[in-house]
Structures are given as structure tokens and as C-alpha cells.
Amino acid sequence: YWIMKRGILVYNHNEMEWRVWVGQQAYWIDQGYNFELRIQNRYFKAVLEKDREWFVTLDQEIRFVPHPNEIYKVRINIHDYIRVDAPF
């Protein structure tokens, strides 16, 4: 089932990977992860992908390269994500 949580997508420069933050908690996000990206007060279905660099595909057709110094508003299904500090 879906429990959508609002958060932000932020680039971790040390790890060279993206992270999703919901409140004070960081979550892993990797290639193939689904989320919703907010653009001008509207959410679009999005997937994080990587070729030589990270990119996001919106609505299965529009691709863009997220800027590592930008913060993006997102919604995630919290059950699909693993907390960064979770024991494996």
C-alpha cells in the first residue's frame, strides 16, 4: 500500500549520490527508484536513473539532469525506501 511522504531530493557531494530527506531522516535513493517530483505546484511521476551522470525521467518521456546544488521537492512511498542509518 502507498503511504506518500513529502520530502526533498538533495545531492550528497561526498558520496556523489542523491538522498531523499523526510524531516530529519535521510533515505537511500538509487537507479530505478520511483518518486514524484514537484514542478510548479504539480507532481510528476519520476524515476532516478544514471548513465554517465544522474538523470530523472518524468512521465516516462521527459529527461533532465538534476543540478547537484538544487533541492527538489518530492513525494515518496515511504515503504519503498531504506533509511540511511538503518542496520543492514
Side-chain angles (χ1 to χ4, degrees):
Y1 61 101
W2 286 76
I3 296 183
M4 298 301 287
K5 293 281 188 179
R6 289 184 186 165
I8 56 173
L9 182 66
V10 179
Y11 191 69
N12 181 316
H13 293 272
N14 293 335
E15 304 289 331
M16 297 175 58
E17 296 176 342
W18 290 90
R19 297 281 183 267
V20 172
W21 285 84
V22 175
Q24 300 295 312
Q25 181 62 60
Y27 291 85
W28 300 105
I29 185 168
D30 205 353
Q31 297 178 60
Y33 274 57
N34 293 289
F35 60 101
E36 294 180 354
L37 180 70
R38 184 174 163 178
I39 299 173
Q40 294 181 343
N41 298 323
R42 186 170 159 219
Y43 285 93
F44 294 87
K45 291 191 183 305
V47 179
L48 184 67
E49 302 182 70
K50 188 174 186 182
D51 191 359
R52 286 195 178 95
E53 57 189 337
W54 293 101
F55 65 95
V56 174
T57 301
L58 299 175
D59 290 341
Q60 300 177 341
E61 59 187 68
I62 302 163
R63 290 194 173 131
F64 81 96
V65 175
H67 195 282
N69 291 328
E70 288 289 323
I71 295 173
Y72 299 92
K73 292 184 178 180
V74 297
R75 288 192 305 210
I76 63 169
N77 180 1
I78 202 77
H79 293 298
D80 292 342
Y81 286 74
I82 299 170
R83 293 181 4 199
V84 169
D85 62 0
F88 289 102

